[in-house]
Amino acid sequence: MAARIPAEERLTNLVVALMATEIGLTKQQILDNVSGYRQRADAGTRSDALEKMFERDKDELRSLGVPVETIGDAADPNDLREARYRIPQAEYDLPGDIEFTPAELAVLRLAGSVWSAESASGDAQAGVRKIRALGIDGDEPIIGFAPRITARDAAFSPLQDAIEKSRVVTFDYLKPGEDAPRRRRIRPLALVDYEARWHIFGVDVDIEADRMFLLSRIVGAVALTNATFDPELREGAGERALAGLEEVAARNSALLEVTPGTEAALRLGRRAQAAPQGIRVPFVDLHILADELASYGPEVRVVEPAELRDAVIERLRAVVAANAEKEGVR
């Protein structure tokens, strides 16, 4: 069965790919490499069906104001059999005289991070796609605020509520390598988005120390207690949280060899630095990076650290074993 990549994610991936090339991409390169098409091709979707999907996506982007350019043969511009497609960045950039305040950038950042199709109008969808493609980012975090969203992490809404009410919360938290979750009790101070993942930053009541937790590792429901805390504790919490994450990322990096022109090259390249043997990607959590790298399959090879390489291999072997078991059941 084809991977269920949402249409809006496929369109975003297409915009990023077409903006990342100056010479353009052929239709076949797009179908082979851009996430959303590639998974369907791997699952056996017919090439003519994929081409029709691309044509629909291209028309939809143009209807949203995205300048998708078709480049024909240099000798005969009307010959589109080997046409290439691109989005000229100069035509898609915001005007140079537009400036955003840190608060406005924070709102744009939040919109690009938490938007979902169920909570946005057609106009809002177009705006968020453009925000994402432009790569607009901001240094100011959002504390205790979010639009109405459909969040993947069930813990998001109760934690947001707890921040606004300055209430202590409890939840069970399962760390990688542990057999059972541990109960945590914290004063939640800030919800921050880092590398497209939500974290809750707060004070662990039992040890009276700042701690950061990934929402995706919270097991079960978040419970608001009757205990409250001084709302002034929230001041500057988001800045401290992001600074802490950036410090961790600065201490940890992975040396990777990535196949040029692939989805992995596009996504990892945005946060990587060039290295003699490949690229260096800073990371906060080894297990999360291993999950991401494994999802790229043969597009990425981990050179170092060895612990990360072993973690990626372990995940790939688990996928092979699961597929083999599935085939054996049939």
Side-chain angles (χ1 to χ4, degrees), residues 34-98:
V34 176
S35 180
Y37 304 104
R38 190 188 70 243
Q39 287 85 349
R40 289 178 178 269
D42 292 344
T45 301
R46 290 168 42 185
S47 59
D48 60 338
L50 289 173
E51 290 183 10
K52 289 180 181 178
M53 176 186 293
F54 168 69
E55 293 298 330
R56 290 194 300 269
D57 289 348
K58 177 161 57 72
D59 291 343
E60 181 171 354
L61 288 178
R62 284 172 173 163
S63 72
L64 294 170
V66 180
V68 179
E69 185 178 78
T70 302
I71 307 171
D73 190 294
D76 182 6
N78 293 321
D79 183 359
L80 301 180
R81 287 175 297 180
E82 293 297 324
R84 307 180 77 86
Y85 303 90
R86 69 175 183 176
I87 297 174
Q89 192 162 347
E91 295 184 24
Y92 199 40
D93 281 342
L94 287 171
D97 58 351
I98 289 183

Side-chain angles (χ1 to χ4, degrees), residues 146-183:
R148 181 175 175 271
I149 60 172
T150 301
R152 289 184 180 179
D153 299 306
F156 187 98
S157 293
L159 288 171
Q160 176 189 351
D161 187 39
I163 291 173
E164 293 172 349
K165 295 177 179 178
S166 300
R167 297 268 294 275
V168 172
V169 298
T170 62
F171 53 78
D172 291 332
Y173 192 75
L174 182 62
K175 295 176 64 175
E178 295 185 350
D179 296 329
R182 293 173 54 195
R183 176 57 58 91

Side-chain angles (χ1 to χ4, degrees), residues 153 155 159 169-186 191 197-202 204 206 211-223 245 284-288:
D153 299 306
L159 288 171
V169 298
T170 62
F171 53 78
D172 291 332
Y173 192 75
L174 182 62
K175 295 176 64 175
E178 295 185 350
D179 296 329
R182 293 173 54 195
R183 176 57 58 91
R184 304 284 187 166
R185 189 161 57 108
I186 72 165
L191 279 164
R197 293 174 180 84
W198 284 103
H199 303 69
I200 181 67
F201 173 73
D204 189 316
D206 296 325
R211 287 292 183 267
M212 185 88 66
F213 302 93
L214 265 170
L215 267 62
S216 59
R217 290 180 181 157
I218 293 178
V219 180
V222 174
L245 290 168
V284 170
D285 189 291
L286 183 142
H287 298 279
I288 289 176

Side-chain angles (χ1 to χ4, degrees), residues 160-292:
Q160 176 189 351
D161 187 39
I163 291 173
E164 293 172 349
K165 295 177 179 178
S166 300
R167 297 268 294 275
V168 172
V169 298
T170 62
F171 53 78
D172 291 332
Y173 192 75
L174 182 62
K175 295 176 64 175
E178 295 185 350
D179 296 329
R182 293 173 54 195
R183 176 57 58 91
R184 304 284 187 166
R185 189 161 57 108
I186 72 165
R187 302 182 188 102
L189 305 180
L191 279 164
V192 293
D193 171 40
Y194 192 80
E195 294 184 349
R197 293 174 180 84
W198 284 103
H199 303 69
I200 181 67
F201 173 73
V203 178
D204 189 316
V205 176
D206 296 325
I207 59 175
E208 288 297 331
D210 291 349
R211 287 292 183 267
M212 185 88 66
F213 302 93
L214 265 170
L215 267 62
S216 59
R217 290 180 181 157
I218 293 178
V219 180
V222 174
L224 274 68
T225 71
N226 292 326
T228 61
F229 58 88
D230 187 345
E232 291 187 1
L233 290 177
R234 301 197 304 250
E235 294 183 7
E239 290 89 337
R240 298 202 310 275
L242 289 176
L245 290 168
E246 288 167 357
E247 286 177 8
V248 174
R251 294 195 301 268
N252 298 283
S253 68
L255 180 59
L256 310 173
E257 292 180 345
V258 183
T259 304
T262 61
E263 178 193 3
L266 289 172
R267 291 183 178 273
L268 294 170
R270 296 174 68 88
R271 61 182 195 268
Q273 294 181 341
Q277 191 175 346
I279 59 173
R280 279 208 169 269
V281 177
F283 65 90
V284 170
D285 189 291
L286 183 142
H287 298 279
I288 289 176
L289 182 59
D291 290 340
E292 179 184 359

